[in-house]
Amino acid sequence: MSSADEGAFRAFAFTRRPSLRRTAFLLCGDWHQADDLVQTALVKLYVAWPRVRSQDQPDAYAHRILVRCFLDERRRPWRRESPVEVLDDVKAAAHPTEELLDLRAALARLPRRQRATLLMRYWLDASVAQTAEALGCSEGTVKSQTARAMSTLRELLGDHALVTEESS
Amino acid sequence: MTDLKNRFMLMLSDEPTAPNDLESIVSAGRRARRRRQAAMAAVSTIGVAGLTTAVAVPIAMTGGTGSDDKVGVQAQQKPSPSPSATRGNCYLIAAKPKAAKLTLQRFVRSGKVGDHPEVTQMRALKDGRTVLQVCSPGASASQPTDEAAEPPTGPPYHYTEQPEDIAARLGAHLTNRVTNWGLDITYTRPFAQETSTLEKGHPAYFDGNVDVHEAQGYGDIGVQVTHKTTEQVPFTGDCNAADNCEETTLDDGSVLRTGEVKAGPGLTVVTAEVHRPDGVVVQAQMSNYPFGPDAGTQDHGDQPLSLKQLISLAQDPDFTF
């Protein structure tokens, strides 16, 4: 990579890292894991940087890599999440359906792909088409995953608790 | 903004300080690039025998000829094209005939090469597998490799200096030029070249840079010298690759290009590159922000040099090897 490319990468990573880190945290719910995710994504971005740099939206590309890194994490046995019947913090609540759960816990209950879809749509403001392209699935899948995710969140957080531009 | 987005933002209220690990990211990225390029070279010419069945290796952005590790010298007819000039990917797949169709179907489903890729049979391996090149539509597929293909023409290039001597000489010269302009150097990245671009142990290009402190803050000045025998280092290519790009033919036949690239909010890289008649290309760059390990904590300055000074760096005949 030329020094110009590397300089541009450093500038990009320096300025956009906070945004990537917040997205990573929303995806995984843990700041340490978020830092690992961002680091992995930025290394991948570095490899592709000469090509990415010439694109109009390197930021969107970087976020796409980040989301894919998050989804790929499940393929690593040592990072694989163990499904449990009820989350610890949900157990702590006497009546989880009656009490308003923390959004973080509710997000954690979503399957990874639904979580990624939800964040792409409502955190990164990606369109259905952009989300489908980023996640490598059809637009119909994005819509159904979004609907399921929103349904689960409403169930956990209360019907009135969530308002999106589409639902309002 | 949606209610959901507001609540996402509230979740971020306990954000801890981010680690300062940009250097390790860049180092890891360099290693990853080297591994990738080494894999590309190994697949394209040494053979695919070491690859397991159905492993697909991205061989290049379009235009990849799969000849990265061929030894020899070819005169460069024109500057290397920008990697953005073409689109699409090509991959090599090694699979046994019975598995090839299924492998291809899986690969197409992965979305890496689109729904209707162009598939070219490259060659058969001794273990019965066939090497296929799969390119996304529009990507320029390379021609099937012929074992007896002619190597690059031209005599081998013999460097008259050891690589470390070249690096030291170029570094000292850049330091001398910059300090003569009255700038304080706060960080020096010694001239070096990526090992993956060695041609039979010889460096194809050298680059190095220095961070400098000027009145308003920190900036950076770098020089990259590329020998005529390589086409591996992309330059700006067409002038429209940069903003405000201007191309001028100088009296000695050299072509001077100047332009700037926005690297981020308020961050600009200005480039002056000279394509000399003997094939050497010198690219001088400056930025209004530093590159060194303390870059994250240093104030950004103005561009450390005038455009005239930057051009004089690119035209400096001592930047050669």
Side-chain angles (χ1 to χ4, degrees), chain A residues 1 3-4 6-7 10-11 14 17 21-22 25 31 39 46-47 51 53-54 123 125 161-163 165, chain B residues 2-5 7 14-17 21 23-25 29-30 33 61 84 194 261 267 285 289 291 296:
Chain A
M1 189 189 293
S3 56
E6 185 164 312
R10 284 173 182 271
F14 179 70
R17 186 197 176 101
R21 192 170 181 242
R22 287 172 197 141
F25 172 76
W31 284 110
Q39 192 174 50
Y46 181 95
V47 174
R51 173 169 52 92
R53 184 186 173 192
S54 63
W123 173 249
D125 296 322
L162 289 178
V163 180
E165 285 173 355
Chain B
T2 63
D3 173 59
L4 188 54
K5 192 164 186 175
R7 297 182 66 170
D14 63 343
E15 181 177 354
T17 307
D21 57 356
E23 284 307 311
S24 65
I25 288 171
R30 286 178 184 155
R33 274 183 74 84
M61 297 307 297
S84 62
E194 292 182 47
V261 174
L267 308 176
Q285 291 188 324
Y289 58 93
F291 287 5

Side-chain angles (χ1 to χ4, degrees), chain A residues 44-64:
Chain A
K44 290 187 175 184
L45 183 68
Y46 181 95
V47 174
W49 183 252
R51 173 169 52 92
V52 174
R53 184 186 173 192
S54 63
Q55 295 181 350
D56 290 339
Q57 296 180 312
D59 198 39
Y61 190 90
H63 275 92
R64 194 168 64 191

Side-chain angles (χ1 to χ4, degrees), chain B residues 183-184 210-221 266-270 285-290 298-307 309:
Chain B
L183 293 164
D184 294 328
V210 292
D211 280 358
V212 295
H213 186 255
E214 48 84 51
Q216 303 301 316
Y218 293 84
D220 186 271
I221 301 166
L267 308 176
T268 306
V269 177
V270 182
Q285 291 188 324
M286 62 180 175
S287 63
N288 59 349
Y289 58 93
Q298 293 171 326
D299 294 332
H300 296 171
D302 292 329
Q303 294 294 356
L305 302 177
S306 66
L307 184 59
Q309 288 172 321

Side-chain angles (χ1 to χ4, degrees), chain A residues 39-135:
Chain A
Q39 192 174 50
T40 305
L42 285 176
V43 169
K44 290 187 175 184
L45 183 68
Y46 181 95
V47 174
W49 183 252
R51 173 169 52 92
V52 174
R53 184 186 173 192
S54 63
Q55 295 181 350
D56 290 339
Q57 296 180 312
D59 198 39
Y61 190 90
H63 275 92
R64 194 168 64 191
I65 292 179
L66 183 74
V67 171
R68 285 184 174 174
C69 285
F70 167 73
L71 294 174
D72 284 346
E73 284 281 292
R74 67 182 172 179
R75 294 175 190 152
R76 299 181 187 177
W78 58 90
R79 285 282 175 82
R80 193 172 291 157
E81 292 176 352
S82 302
V84 292
E85 280 296 314
V86 185
L87 292 177
D88 287 345
D89 40 3
V90 179
K91 281 179 187 169
H95 303 287
T97 54
E98 294 174 12
E99 299 202 13
L100 197 62
L101 293 177
D102 176 57
L103 181 57
R104 189 182 300 187
L107 272 178
R109 295 199 68 177
L110 295 178
R112 280 175 168 248
R113 212 163 179 84
Q114 286 186 25
R115 217 182 306 166
T117 307
L118 197 73
L119 286 167
M120 288 286 296
R121 296 282 288 115
Y122 297 118
W123 173 249
L124 299 176
D125 296 322
S127 68
V128 172
Q130 288 168 333
T131 306
E133 202 269 332
L135 299 180

Side-chain angles (χ1 to χ4, degrees), chain B residues 27-154:
Chain B
S27 298
R30 286 178 184 155
R31 288 194 298 274
R33 274 183 74 84
R34 283 197 286 269
R35 282 196 300 273
R36 181 169 173 266
Q37 288 173 331
M40 285 158 50
V43 168
S44 56
T45 56
I46 296 171
V48 200
L51 289 174
T52 55
T53 300
V55 169
V57 179
I59 56 171
M61 297 307 297
T62 53
T65 61
S67 60
D68 287 1
D69 66 349
K70 284 180 181 171
V71 176
V73 176
Q74 262 185 323
Q76 185 173 344
Q77 300 301 319
K78 58 184 180 180
S80 302
S82 162
S84 62
T86 52
R87 294 177 183 280
N89 294 313
C90 289
Y91 297 83
L92 288 181
I93 290 177
K96 293 200 171 181
K98 285 184 180 176
K101 189 176 177 183
L102 183 62
T103 304
L104 262 179
Q105 286 173 342
R106 282 188 189 142
F107 198 58
V108 169
R109 278 203 300 274
S110 74
K112 291 180 178 174
V113 288
D115 294 334
H116 303 288
E118 296 165 6
V119 182
T120 309
Q121 183 169 325
M122 302 296 283
R123 63 177 128 160
L125 300 175
K126 288 178 182 175
D127 62 0
R129 287 180 296 163
T130 302
V131 181
L132 302 174
Q133 181 174 260
V134 188
C135 294
S136 51
S140 55
S142 59
Q143 296 303 309
T145 306
D146 182 354
E147 293 289 345
E150 291 184 8
T153 58

